[in-house]
Amino acid sequence: MVDAVRYLVAGGITWRAMPADFPAWDRVYAFFRRWRNKGLTAEFHDRLRDRVRQAAGRDPEPTGIIDAQSVKGAASVPAATRGFDGGKKVNGRKRHIVVDTLGLLLVVVVTAASVTDRDAGQTLLTRLHERHWRVTRVWADGGYTGRLVDFARGVLRIALTVVRRSDDTSGFTVLPKRWLVERTFAWLMHSRRLARDYEMRTDTSEAVIRWSMSMVMSRRLARRAR
């Protein structure tokens, strides 16, 4: 079942196109849905992340970097959970994530693309505080300024540090800390199922993102074992 779900996420196929070597597609989807609803997907992902951090000699509680990515929504995405991102000119959904300094996923929230980074940031940082209460610093870009900084400091006791791009620079520039989360988005794009958002529910999109990162982490652990 695990290999079947990983094949779907990596290959970007539909559920009904599941190869005959795997169990019937409706059985695979039933397990996928059950693991999603009971939180087992998130638990499986988090345990893998802890093992990767331990193998790298890192502290169990990390420092976070926050960012968002807008992706086009397929026809299967309902109008209630899709929107238009005026800045990126994308009609679909937006993936809001917090990663650690290794680029591993800590928290993910999927919203309509029209939701601003500041509005989604409150939900994202609240989830981060609930799951990783010892995290006290999160790095962000200029889209997370304003009241979100005050909310993080006053309510969650998190120092939201904004890394700004210099006004006198031109072209592509690697910014401290922020390149870590951009690398994670690049890893996610290796999974064809995440090239755009195909899911009817946002929690399904979040589960697919966790499955994609689980593949990244399991390959890293396998290389260390060899």
Side-chain angles (χ1 to χ4, degrees):
M1 291 296 179
V2 172
D3 287 341
V5 175
R6 288 160 64 101
Y7 184 87
L8 178 136
V9 173
I13 64 172
T14 62
W15 286 103
R16 294 179 182 271
M18 189 70 64
D21 295 340
F22 294 115
W25 75 268
D26 54 345
R27 296 301 302 152
V28 178
Y29 179 70
F31 273 88
F32 172 86
R33 182 176 56 192
R34 188 181 309 163
W35 293 336
R36 178 201 64 195
N37 294 342
K38 292 183 178 295
L40 297 180
T41 301
E43 182 179 351
F44 170 66
H45 168 274
D46 291 350
R47 288 189 179 186
L48 270 179
R49 186 194 60 231
D50 292 344
R51 290 194 61 181
V52 173
R53 289 188 59 82
Q54 291 173 4
R58 299 301 182 97
D59 187 272
E61 291 301 332
T63 298
I65 305 99
I66 186 174
D67 204 354
Q69 177 193 49
S70 295
V71 293
K72 293 182 179 180
S76 55
V77 176
T81 58
R82 72 186 299 154
F84 184 75
D85 183 347
K88 301 292 179 62
K89 301 296 186 295
V90 172
N91 186 344
R93 283 183 175 153
K94 186 179 289 188
R95 300 162 181 163
H96 310 266
I97 66 173
V98 179
V99 303
D100 63 9
T101 52
L102 296 178
L104 306 179
L105 185 69
L106 300 178
V107 188
V108 56
V109 174
V110 176
T111 66
S114 55
V115 177
T116 65
D117 294 348
R118 294 184 184 91
D119 292 338
Q122 290 196 13
T123 302
L124 194 64
L125 292 179
T126 300
R127 290 189 186 182
L128 176 68
H129 184 67
E130 292 172 353
R131 300 181 68 90
H132 305 277
W133 59 271
R134 290 177 56 191
V135 174
T136 58
R137 180 177 296 277
V138 174
W139 303 87
D141 62 18
Y144 295 91
T145 56
R147 64 180 183 275
L148 182 60
V149 177
D150 299 332
F151 171 81
R153 181 178 61 249
V155 178
L156 305 178
R157 300 294 188 269
I158 294 177
L160 189 62
T161 305
V162 177
V163 180
R164 298 183 182 274
R165 176 187 173 93
S166 178
D167 295 334
D168 56 357
T169 59
S170 60
F172 175 76
T173 304
V174 177
L175 298 177
K177 303 296 183 181
R178 283 174 52 182
W179 69 270
L180 296 167
V181 68
E182 297 296 342
R183 180 181 59 179
T184 302
F185 283 132
W187 291 342
L188 294 177
M189 288 297 100
H190 291 166
S191 299
R192 291 187 178 182
R193 187 80 181 190
L194 295 174
R196 63 174 59 199
D197 201 312
Y198 296 95
E199 317 305 334
M200 295 187 63
R201 295 171 43 165
T202 55
D203 59 345
T204 302
S205 297
E206 295 168 4
V208 173
I209 291 172
R210 291 190 178 97
W211 275 105
S212 177
M213 286 302 300
S214 295
M215 291 188 288
V216 172
M217 293 185 293
S218 60
R219 285 194 294 265
R220 187 177 299 186
L221 288 173
R223 287 195 297 268
R224 285 182 175 274
R226 289 197 297 268

